[in-house]
Amino acid sequence: MSNAAPSSTEIRLRTRPIAVGHLRALEAVARHLNFRAAAEELSLTQSAVSRQVQALEDEVGVPLFLRHTRAVELTSAGAQLLRAVLPSLERVDSAVRLIRRTAGRKSVAISTWASFASMWLIPRLEAFQAEYPDIDIRLDATDNPVDLDTSDVDLAIRYTRPGNAGPDAVRLFGEQLTPVASPWLLKSGPPLRKAADLNRFALLEASDSHRHQNLEWLTWRRWLDGNDLPKLEPKRWMYFNYAHQIVQAALTGQGVALARMPLVADSLASGDLVEVLPNGRIDTPLVYFLMVGPRSRTRPEIQAFCAWLMAQAAITRKAIGEEPDPETQAHPD
C-alpha cells in the first residue's frame, strides 16, 4: 500500500460541525437540557461535556445551569449568554457548510457595483455559464472597494478615473452619456427634436451626484450647460439612487434619462430605448476597469473568465462606437 499523502481532491472532508470548545457544549446542553444527550451529539463523553460547561461557568463566574437529579435547566445568566452564542455558532456552521460544499469546485468571485451588475454583467453571465458549466460564479454587488490582496474576492470591476485605477488595472471601455427615452413616451408625448424641447419632459438623474466629484459628470445640469441651455427647467425632476433605477424609469416612460452608453447599449440595440438626441453625446473622464487579485490570476478559471470578459468588453466598445486601442486589447496575466 502506498504511503503517499492524499492529493487535495482526495482529502475527505468531515461532516461533523467544527468544535468551538465550551460554547458548543453550552449550546448543546441548553438545547437538550441533558448532558448525556449533548455528549452523544458532540461525540464526547458525558464527563467531558460536564467539564467543559463547568470550565465555562468558572470563566464567567456564575452558574449557567441548575443541575437537577434527572435534568438541567438554564439560569438567567445561561440564557443571556446563549442568546449571544447562538447567532455566532449558526454563522460559523453556515460558513463551514458553504466551504465544504464548494471544496474542490472551480469558482470565480466578482466584486462590482449594483448598477453595472444588473445592467451589464448579469445579462451576459448566461453565455459564460453555457461555455463553462463547471465554474461557479459568486457576485458581490457593492459600492465599497475591496482589498484584492486580502479578501476572498478574485476580481473587481470598477468605475473611476484612469489615475485612480492602479497600475495593474485593465481598461474595459470608456464612457459617453446620451439622452434616452422609451419609444412609447416619444410617440405619446410632445415632439422632442432638439435639446430645448426637453423642457416638456421629466428629466431623470441620480439624487446624490452632487456629493461625488466623479458623478457630477452624470448630471443633466452639466449636459444642459454644454448645450447652451443653462436656464432650462424641465416639466419635473425625478431623482434616483442608482443608475439601473434611472434606466428602469426611462424604460417605463416616466421621463428622459441621461444614460451611460455602455450600460444601455443593449436596450438601444433592442429598441427598448431610443437615443433621442444622437448629436448630444458627451464624453466623461470615467472608465470601466478590471482588476484581478494577485492570488487568483494564475488559476485557469480566472484566466478563462477574464478572457471572456475582455471579449464581451470588445463587443460593447463596438456597440458604443469606441475605437479599440492597444490598452483595451491587453489581457490580465
Side-chain angles (χ1 to χ4, degrees):
M1 179 181 295
S2 172
N3 292 323
S7 68
S8 59
T9 58
E10 295 173 337
I11 294 174
R12 294 184 60 189
L13 296 171
R14 300 169 64 186
T15 58
R16 193 179 69 186
I18 61 172
V20 286
H22 305 338
L23 298 179
R24 180 74 70 184
L26 167 73
E27 187 277 333
V29 174
R31 183 157 34 84
H32 291 286
L33 294 178
N34 184 287
F35 278 92
R36 181 180 57 78
E40 290 177 356
E41 178 183 304
L42 296 174
S43 298
L44 297 172
T45 64
Q46 184 172 334
S47 60
V49 172
S50 181
R51 286 195 300 271
Q52 288 187 0
V53 171
Q54 181 63 58
L56 183 58
E57 289 176 323
D58 291 342
E59 290 181 17
V60 175
V62 297
L64 302 175
F65 293 95
L66 297 176
R67 278 82 166 169
H68 303 298
T69 303
R70 297 185 180 277
V72 296
E73 68 176 291
L74 276 167
T75 64
S76 60
Q80 183 179 357
L81 181 58
L82 183 66
R83 285 195 295 271
V85 167
L86 274 176
S88 299
L89 289 179
E90 289 171 356
R91 285 196 295 270
V92 169
D93 289 343
S94 176
V96 170
R97 285 194 297 270
L98 178 61
I99 291 168
R100 287 170 173 163
R101 188 166 61 246
T102 59
R105 295 181 65 88
K106 301 176 191 175
S107 65
V108 178
I110 309 150
S111 173
T112 191
W113 69 104
S115 291
F116 185 83
S118 63
M119 298 174 68
W120 194 90
L121 184 56
I122 292 175
R124 290 166 169 77
L125 281 179
E126 183 179 1
F128 177 81
Q129 297 281 251
E131 188 174 353
Y132 298 96
D134 61 333
I135 298 179
D136 297 336
I137 298 293
R138 194 186 92 210
L139 184 58
D140 179 15
T142 176
D143 292 333
N144 299 323
V146 296
D147 186 346
L148 293 173
D149 290 324
T150 59
S151 73
D152 60 350
V153 171
D154 297 309
L155 56 90
I157 302 170
R158 291 299 177 213
Y159 172 68
T160 187
R161 293 172 182 261
N164 298 333
D168 297 324
V170 179
R171 187 180 187 275
L172 297 175
F173 34 76
E175 182 171 75
Q176 288 183 316
L177 303 177
T178 189
V180 301
S182 75
W184 174 84
L185 178 66
L186 299 177
K187 290 178 182 178
S188 62
L192 179 48
R193 301 188 180 93
K194 57 185 184 300
D197 294 335
L198 289 168
N199 67 344
R200 305 170 181 175
F201 294 84
L203 297 185
L204 320 175
E205 71 171 24
S207 59
D208 58 352
S209 58
H210 63 285
R211 299 176 186 170
H212 305 280
Q213 182 179 4
N214 285 345
L215 298 185
E216 288 182 1
W217 284 93
L218 310 181
T219 62
W220 269 111
R221 189 53 61 192
R222 180 183 285 274
W223 187 93
L224 292 169
D225 289 347
N227 283 271
D228 300 321
L229 294 168
K231 297 182 179 180
L232 183 142
E233 289 296 331
K235 181 179 179 181
R236 64 178 173 275
W237 292 99
M238 295 185 69
Y239 299 100
F240 301 88
N241 291 103
Y242 298 102
H244 63 272
Q245 296 172 339
I246 296 172
V247 172
Q248 184 61 37
L251 286 165
T252 55
Q254 298 182 49
V256 182
L258 188 60
R260 308 176 192 184
M261 279 293 295
L263 302 186
V264 298
D266 293 342
S267 295
L268 293 174
S270 67
D272 292 332
L273 288 175
V274 175
E275 191 174 6
V276 296
L277 299 166
N279 295 327
R281 292 189 187 184
I282 60 171
D283 294 314
T284 81
L286 302 172
V287 176
Y288 298 75
F289 286 99
L290 168 65
M291 290 166 277
V292 184
R295 296 177 300 165
S296 303
R297 60 183 48 156
T298 58
R299 286 165 36 206
E301 61 269 30
I302 303 300
Q303 295 174 344
F305 187 87
C306 289
W308 172 83
L309 191 70
M310 295 304 295
Q312 294 297 314
I315 295 172
T316 295
R317 288 196 302 272
K318 183 177 180 180
I320 65 177
E322 180 178 312
E323 290 295 327
D325 57 54
E327 185 182 5
T328 62
Q329 300 306 302
H331 186 279
D333 296 328

